[in-house]
Amino acid sequence: MSTDHSPAPETSVPTCYRHPGRETYVRCTRCDRYICPECMRDAAVGHQCVECVAEGNRGVRKAVHRTPIGARGSASAVPVVSYTLIGACVAMYLAELASWRVVWEFMMLGRGVLPDGELGGVAEGEWYRLFTTMFLHQRGGTFGITHILFNMWALWAVGPALEQVLGRWRFLALYMLSGLGGSVLLYLVGDPASSAVGASGAIFGLFGAFFVIGRKLGGPVGPIVVLLVINLVITFSVPNISWQGHVGGLVVGAALAAAYVYAPAAQRRLLHIAAPLVTFALLAALVIVRTAELTPAVG
């Protein structure tokens, strides 16, 4: 009788799926593949491999910071819109210094004769003047360079804080519509042949918005009230200042800010979109009516 000694079965040692040369007996709790210490990531139970961790992170939504009125933003965000507006005003001022033509081609004018003898103005179809005027400033005259210096200082001082709370597109809409509101009020009640330039209507809109939002959120509003009172006194006491532009901007800015900050949370997004659109439509309607009054009937 002979005994048959069968050879012992070969045993294979498991290795890491990412590093085949490394022996390991630890498995990923998610995909059940063997992983070495370098590929292990702590999980709630056991360890996971780097691929499973990455896959899980792709399904996790990042938290979005919201301001008190529901806008995206953070305290560290750069106020891009505020700085861009300042840059645009400075660039236009340099263009004005290079040529007077920039002023009389883009200033606010209801209807009148331009230096080249041509009839121009908003009533003549040059509606862009309602917007472009807010990027121009006096070059000389009563105030000289202090006109742009004060407006840009005000935009630099107030703009970033409002942009942080409102978010970029709400802030830009408020600024532009405030400037438009000042131009429209001047167009409605001012002398059509008189001209005006300046970002003051938009700046007054920021002042009004700062007051409304500050009151709602419990912030300090005393300094902005003092600034507003001083500027309104100057507006109505110093000659050659367009009070219409200042008051129109103030009213539109405060009204839009109220719509932003007092909107119910459930309808907030809808109202934040509707408020600027309705404001623009109302101002456009007023411009159309005034233009019809200033334009002679044909036939």
Side-chain angles (χ1 to χ4, degrees):
M1 176 184 290
S2 63
T3 304
D4 184 14
H5 296 283
S6 300
E10 294 183 3
T11 59
S12 60
V13 178
T15 58
C16 174
Y17 82 96
R18 297 180 74 239
H19 302 96
R22 300 178 185 178
E23 298 180 0
T24 180
Y25 290 91
V26 179
R27 295 174 182 264
C28 172
T29 56
R30 188 169 181 177
C31 68
D32 204 38
R33 291 180 291 186
Y34 287 102
I35 50 177
C36 67
E38 183 180 338
C39 299
M40 295 178 190
R41 301 294 183 268
D42 290 333
V45 178
H47 300 84
Q48 291 184 6
C49 66
V50 291
E51 291 182 4
C52 288
V53 171
E55 181 67 26
N57 289 338
R58 280 196 289 269
V60 177
R61 297 182 64 183
K62 295 182 179 180
V64 177
H65 174 76
R66 295 284 180 179
T67 69
I69 69 164
R72 291 173 178 262
S74 66
S76 60
V78 177
V80 175
V81 177
S82 298
Y83 294 160
T84 300
L85 291 171
I86 291 174
C89 289
V90 172
M92 289 301 296
Y93 188 72
L94 294 177
E96 292 178 53
L97 295 179
S99 173
W100 272 105
R101 189 179 184 87
V102 174
V103 178
W104 55 264
E105 282 194 349
F106 297 103
M107 67 186 181
M108 176 57 199
L109 177 67
R111 189 168 188 265
V113 179
L114 299 172
D116 61 359
E118 296 290 330
L119 190 63
V122 177
E124 295 298 314
E126 298 172 346
W127 55 268
Y128 57 85
R129 292 177 180 272
L130 296 163
F131 293 94
T132 54
T133 185
M134 71 181 80
F135 294 98
L136 303 177
H137 289 84
Q138 282 191 7
R139 44 161 291 183
T142 306
F143 301 102
I145 196 173
T146 59
H147 190 208
I148 187 172
L149 287 179
F150 172 78
N151 281 343
M152 294 305 97
W153 169 83
L155 179 52
W156 174 82
V158 179
L162 284 175
E163 186 175 345
Q164 178 185 337
V165 174
L166 296 176
R168 290 173 180 171
W169 73 262
R170 293 175 185 84
F171 174 75
L172 180 60
L174 187 142
Y175 184 91
M176 297 299 292
L177 288 172
S178 295
L180 178 61
S183 296
V184 171
L185 185 58
L186 175 61
Y187 188 49
L188 292 176
V189 302
D191 179 1
S194 63
S195 59
V197 294
S200 301
I203 298 300
F204 267 76
L206 298 187
F207 289 164
F210 197 97
F211 173 78
V212 171
I213 295 173
R215 284 291 301 272
K216 173 62 176 178
L217 301 183
V221 295
I224 202 69
V225 170
V226 172
L227 190 61
L228 259 175
V229 170
I230 292 174
N231 278 276
L232 286 173
V233 169
I234 294 174
T235 296
F236 289 99
S237 60
V238 177
N240 300 322
I241 291 182
S242 170
W243 65 265
Q244 299 94 334
H246 294 184
V247 172
L250 177 63
V251 171
V252 171
L256 264 182
Y260 287 153
V261 79
Y262 287 101
Q267 291 84 35
R268 180 178 287 161
R269 183 171 179 80
L270 176 62
L271 292 177
H272 285 187
I273 294 174
L277 294 177
V278 171
T279 302
F280 179 77
L282 176 60
L283 294 174
L286 293 174
V287 170
I288 292 172
V289 172
R290 179 57 171 164
T291 299
E293 294 176 354
L294 294 178
T295 305
V298 179

